[in-house]
Amino acid sequence: MISLKRDLYLKIISFFLFLSFFAYGFYVSKDYGVSWDEFENRDYGNIALLNLTSEQIDKEFDHGETHVMSRGSLYLILLKAIENIFDAKDLPRIVHIRHLSNFIFWGTSAVLFFLIIFEQFKSYLLSIIGFLMFVLMPRIFAHSFFNPIDISFLAFTVFYIYSYQKLAINYNYKNLCLAGIFSCLLISSRLIGEFSLLITASYIVFGTEKTIKQKIKDCILYIFTSIIFLYIFWPYLWTDFFRKLVKIHLYIPNYRPIIMDILFDGIVYKSDSLPMTYYIKWIAITLPTMYLLLFIISLVINFKTKAILKSSIFHLSLGLFAVLASTSLAQYSKYNDWRHLYFIYPLIILITVSGIDKISILNFRAYKAILFLLCLQFF
């Protein structure tokens, strides 16, 4: 009875927490400036939207190989369409609508992330903690207004995690197709989203107890679904799909972005020759101290108890942190802190929350101390 009452109170708190979060976002949405590529992204979305109503879809490619070859235009088209719906003409209103739309999309993924944590741990308190860690990350909160590229990819990653979790809990054709749809949303947002194909296919092969024949059928269904929806969500691929898909994959390894000087650790580097520790250090210095400490403690506890090795969180974490390792080792241009890797942040939170869950079982006094310290961090 006490537990039911507590869950009811936490449900009510969660509801008002969501309302407060969105209300605050609306209130401060005018306070964030314009990013250096704001109008470049807007122009690209505008041209891509115009091309949808014409037979000249290839012009989307002519507007800029950097955009088309590394990511699709779906989300930028959506932002431009919203701008048109509200008939925004003057620059401040245009920027405000785009920023607010971006925030709402990210906020929606934050609420979905709350549901992911609840499904995993069956605890409203842990879900609230995870939600607050998600939205009260100062750097990402600021970017949620003016950074449509990296924030949309972060949000799509949350959608993919949700579909992966649904598949792990209830393995059926419906959830397999759902995972395929969200995988292609990731890929059409940024080509690096192809990691989702490997993660899900690995789960089908190694994480299920099906026959080899059935696993092959399931992988084919998953890949087929992903290809169909990739075609739907990436307008550039609407003509000559396979040739352009090959062209994109051949282009990416040879793509060389602008090289600039980056001051890092007191030394000026070229952006394509930064140390492998660049992303690791940026993550360490921008994560709130309590988040970082709890993440490290949670990693130790989870691997010590070996419980995480059997969970879907582990498989996802392994895949996404493999992406982190590969991007840290890769010799391509790095700049603007770790914004290109914001999509791994939900996994950092999931591992942290799983550690807090273990601590609540192993040492309740330590658990209460953590809750107190987190309250100080949050408020």
PDB file of all heavy atoms in Angstrom, residues 194-209:
ATOM      1  N   GLU A 194      24.574   3.993 -39.119  1.00  0.00           N
ATOM      2  CA  GLU A 194      24.655   2.600 -39.556  1.00  0.00           C
ATOM      3  C   GLU A 194      25.105   1.662 -38.441  1.00  0.00           C
ATOM      4  O   GLU A 194      24.949   0.443 -38.549  1.00  0.00           O
ATOM      5  CB  GLU A 194      25.589   2.472 -40.760  1.00  0.00           C
ATOM      6  CG  GLU A 194      24.982   3.045 -42.036  1.00  0.00           C
ATOM      7  CD  GLU A 194      25.902   2.925 -43.231  1.00  0.00           C
ATOM      8  OE1 GLU A 194      27.136   2.786 -43.022  1.00  0.00           O
ATOM      9  OE2 GLU A 194      25.410   2.952 -44.371  1.00  0.00           O
ATOM     10  N   PHE A 195      25.678   2.239 -37.362  1.00  0.00           N
ATOM     11  CA  PHE A 195      26.049   1.393 -36.219  1.00  0.00           C
ATOM     12  C   PHE A 195      24.821   0.658 -35.678  1.00  0.00           C
ATOM     13  O   PHE A 195      24.923  -0.449 -35.139  1.00  0.00           O
ATOM     14  CB  PHE A 195      26.712   2.209 -35.108  1.00  0.00           C
ATOM     15  CG  PHE A 195      25.802   3.176 -34.399  1.00  0.00           C
ATOM     16  CD1 PHE A 195      24.883   2.736 -33.458  1.00  0.00           C
ATOM     17  CD2 PHE A 195      25.873   4.536 -34.665  1.00  0.00           C
ATOM     18  CE1 PHE A 195      24.037   3.635 -32.805  1.00  0.00           C
ATOM     19  CE2 PHE A 195      25.043   5.439 -34.017  1.00  0.00           C
ATOM     20  CZ  PHE A 195      24.109   4.974 -33.081  1.00  0.00           C
ATOM     21  N   SER A 196      23.628   1.270 -35.834  1.00  0.00           N
ATOM     22  CA  SER A 196      22.402   0.638 -35.320  1.00  0.00           C
ATOM     23  C   SER A 196      22.110  -0.666 -36.055  1.00  0.00           C
ATOM     24  O   SER A 196      21.563  -1.608 -35.468  1.00  0.00           O
ATOM     25  CB  SER A 196      21.221   1.598 -35.440  1.00  0.00           C
ATOM     26  OG  SER A 196      20.953   1.909 -36.803  1.00  0.00           O
ATOM     27  N   LEU A 197      22.454  -0.735 -37.338  1.00  0.00           N
ATOM     28  CA  LEU A 197      22.257  -1.969 -38.095  1.00  0.00           C
ATOM     29  C   LEU A 197      23.099  -3.103 -37.513  1.00  0.00           C
ATOM     30  O   LEU A 197      22.633  -4.228 -37.344  1.00  0.00           O
ATOM     31  CB  LEU A 197      22.623  -1.753 -39.571  1.00  0.00           C
ATOM     32  CG  LEU A 197      21.792  -0.748 -40.368  1.00  0.00           C
ATOM     33  CD1 LEU A 197      22.338  -0.613 -41.776  1.00  0.00           C
ATOM     34  CD2 LEU A 197      20.326  -1.165 -40.411  1.00  0.00           C
ATOM     35  N   LEU A 198      24.356  -2.772 -37.197  1.00  0.00           N
ATOM     36  CA  LEU A 198      25.265  -3.784 -36.647  1.00  0.00           C
ATOM     37  C   LEU A 198      24.815  -4.238 -35.261  1.00  0.00           C
ATOM     38  O   LEU A 198      24.861  -5.427 -34.934  1.00  0.00           O
ATOM     39  CB  LEU A 198      26.688  -3.221 -36.587  1.00  0.00           C
ATOM     40  CG  LEU A 198      27.345  -2.907 -37.933  1.00  0.00           C
ATOM     41  CD1 LEU A 198      28.696  -2.242 -37.725  1.00  0.00           C
ATOM     42  CD2 LEU A 198      27.507  -4.181 -38.752  1.00  0.00           C
ATOM     43  N   ILE A 199      24.383  -3.269 -34.433  1.00  0.00           N
ATOM     44  CA  ILE A 199      23.962  -3.605 -33.065  1.00  0.00           C
ATOM     45  C   ILE A 199      22.737  -4.510 -33.087  1.00  0.00           C
ATOM     46  O   ILE A 199      22.690  -5.542 -32.412  1.00  0.00           O
ATOM     47  CB  ILE A 199      23.676  -2.317 -32.260  1.00  0.00           C
ATOM     48  CG1 ILE A 199      24.966  -1.528 -32.038  1.00  0.00           C
ATOM     49  CG2 ILE A 199      23.040  -2.664 -30.910  1.00  0.00           C
ATOM     50  CD1 ILE A 199      24.758  -0.168 -31.398  1.00  0.00           C
ATOM     51  N   THR A 200      21.729  -4.130 -33.881  1.00  0.00           N
ATOM     52  CA  THR A 200      20.501  -4.926 -33.917  1.00  0.00           C
ATOM     53  C   THR A 200      20.737  -6.293 -34.562  1.00  0.00           C
ATOM     54  O   THR A 200      20.239  -7.318 -34.070  1.00  0.00           O
ATOM     55  CB  THR A 200      19.388  -4.173 -34.671  1.00  0.00           C
ATOM     56  OG1 THR A 200      19.222  -2.873 -34.100  1.00  0.00           O
ATOM     57  CG2 THR A 200      18.073  -4.928 -34.587  1.00  0.00           C
ATOM     58  N   ALA A 201      21.496  -6.316 -35.655  1.00  0.00           N
ATOM     59  CA  ALA A 201      21.789  -7.593 -36.310  1.00  0.00           C
ATOM     60  C   ALA A 201      22.572  -8.511 -35.373  1.00  0.00           C
ATOM     61  O   ALA A 201      22.335  -9.723 -35.330  1.00  0.00           O
ATOM     62  CB  ALA A 201      22.574  -7.356 -37.598  1.00  0.00           C
ATOM     63  N   SER A 202      23.492  -7.926 -34.589  1.00  0.00           N
ATOM     64  CA  SER A 202      24.261  -8.722 -33.619  1.00  0.00           C
ATOM     65  C   SER A 202      23.335  -9.307 -32.560  1.00  0.00           C
ATOM     66  O   SER A 202      23.516 -10.460 -32.133  1.00  0.00           O
ATOM     67  CB  SER A 202      25.332  -7.852 -32.945  1.00  0.00           C
ATOM     68  OG  SER A 202      26.267  -7.400 -33.886  1.00  0.00           O
ATOM     69  N   TYR A 203      22.344  -8.516 -32.152  1.00  0.00           N
ATOM     70  CA  TYR A 203      21.396  -9.024 -31.159  1.00  0.00           C
ATOM     71  C   TYR A 203      20.568 -10.177 -31.737  1.00  0.00           C
ATOM     72  O   TYR A 203      20.331 -11.191 -31.066  1.00  0.00           O
ATOM     73  CB  TYR A 203      20.465  -7.913 -30.681  1.00  0.00           C
ATOM     74  CG  TYR A 203      19.415  -8.425 -29.715  1.00  0.00           C
ATOM     75  CD1 TYR A 203      19.748  -8.743 -28.405  1.00  0.00           C
ATOM     76  CD2 TYR A 203      18.103  -8.642 -30.145  1.00  0.00           C
ATOM     77  CE1 TYR A 203      18.802  -9.244 -27.529  1.00  0.00           C
ATOM     78  CE2 TYR A 203      17.145  -9.145 -29.274  1.00  0.00           C
ATOM     79  CZ  TYR A 203      17.504  -9.445 -27.967  1.00  0.00           C
ATOM     80  OH  TYR A 203      16.568  -9.960 -27.110  1.00  0.00           O
ATOM     81  N   ILE A 204      20.137 -10.023 -32.988  1.00  0.00           N
ATOM     82  CA  ILE A 204      19.351 -11.080 -33.620  1.00  0.00           C
ATOM     83  C   ILE A 204      20.153 -12.386 -33.682  1.00  0.00           C
ATOM     84  O   ILE A 204      19.643 -13.466 -33.390  1.00  0.00           O
ATOM     85  CB  ILE A 204      18.919 -10.657 -35.043  1.00  0.00           C
ATOM     86  CG1 ILE A 204      17.950  -9.474 -34.974  1.00  0.00           C
ATOM     87  CG2 ILE A 204      18.258 -11.823 -35.779  1.00  0.00           C
ATOM     88  CD1 ILE A 204      17.653  -8.847 -36.324  1.00  0.00           C
ATOM     89  N   VAL A 205      21.429 -12.274 -34.026  1.00  0.00           N
ATOM     90  CA  VAL A 205      22.272 -13.458 -34.211  1.00  0.00           C
ATOM     91  C   VAL A 205      22.720 -14.059 -32.883  1.00  0.00           C
ATOM     92  O   VAL A 205      22.651 -15.282 -32.683  1.00  0.00           O
ATOM     93  CB  VAL A 205      23.507 -13.108 -35.074  1.00  0.00           C
ATOM     94  CG1 VAL A 205      24.470 -14.301 -35.152  1.00  0.00           C
ATOM     95  CG2 VAL A 205      23.072 -12.685 -36.476  1.00  0.00           C
ATOM     96  N   PHE A 206      23.160 -13.202 -31.950  1.00  0.00           N
ATOM     97  CA  PHE A 206      23.777 -13.702 -30.720  1.00  0.00           C
ATOM     98  C   PHE A 206      22.884 -13.606 -29.473  1.00  0.00           C
ATOM     99  O   PHE A 206      23.144 -14.281 -28.481  1.00  0.00           O
ATOM    100  CB  PHE A 206      25.084 -12.953 -30.439  1.00  0.00           C
ATOM    101  CG  PHE A 206      26.092 -13.062 -31.549  1.00  0.00           C
ATOM    102  CD1 PHE A 206      26.399 -11.952 -32.332  1.00  0.00           C
ATOM    103  CD2 PHE A 206      26.715 -14.272 -31.818  1.00  0.00           C
ATOM    104  CE1 PHE A 206      27.316 -12.051 -33.361  1.00  0.00           C
ATOM    105  CE2 PHE A 206      27.638 -14.379 -32.843  1.00  0.00           C
ATOM    106  CZ  PHE A 206      27.940 -13.266 -33.634  1.00  0.00           C
ATOM    107  N   GLY A 207      21.845 -12.780 -29.544  1.00  0.00           N
ATOM    108  CA  GLY A 207      21.035 -12.548 -28.346  1.00  0.00           C
ATOM    109  C   GLY A 207      19.719 -13.282 -28.311  1.00  0.00           C
ATOM    110  O   GLY A 207      18.969 -13.174 -27.340  1.00  0.00           O
ATOM    111  N   THR A 208      19.409 -14.016 -29.373  1.00  0.00           N
ATOM    112  CA  THR A 208      18.146 -14.765 -29.417  1.00  0.00           C
ATOM    113  C   THR A 208      18.421 -16.266 -29.518  1.00  0.00           C
ATOM    114  O   THR A 208      19.503 -16.677 -29.938  1.00  0.00           O
ATOM    115  CB  THR A 208      17.289 -14.325 -30.622  1.00  0.00           C
ATOM    116  OG1 THR A 208      18.005 -14.608 -31.839  1.00  0.00           O
ATOM    117  CG2 THR A 208      16.992 -12.841 -30.560  1.00  0.00           C
ATOM    118  N   GLU A 209      17.434 -17.042 -29.158  1.00  0.00           N
ATOM    119  CA  GLU A 209      17.583 -18.501 -29.182  1.00  0.00           C
ATOM    120  C   GLU A 209      16.815 -19.107 -30.361  1.00  0.00           C
ATOM    121  O   GLU A 209      16.160 -20.138 -30.237  1.00  0.00           O
ATOM    122  CB  GLU A 209      17.099 -19.094 -27.859  1.00  0.00           C
ATOM    123  CG  GLU A 209      17.920 -18.630 -26.654  1.00  0.00           C
ATOM    124  CD  GLU A 209      17.423 -19.225 -25.353  1.00  0.00           C
ATOM    125  OE1 GLU A 209      16.386 -19.932 -25.378  1.00  0.00           O
ATOM    126  OE2 GLU A 209      18.075 -18.996 -24.317  1.00  0.00           O
TER     127      GLU A 209
END
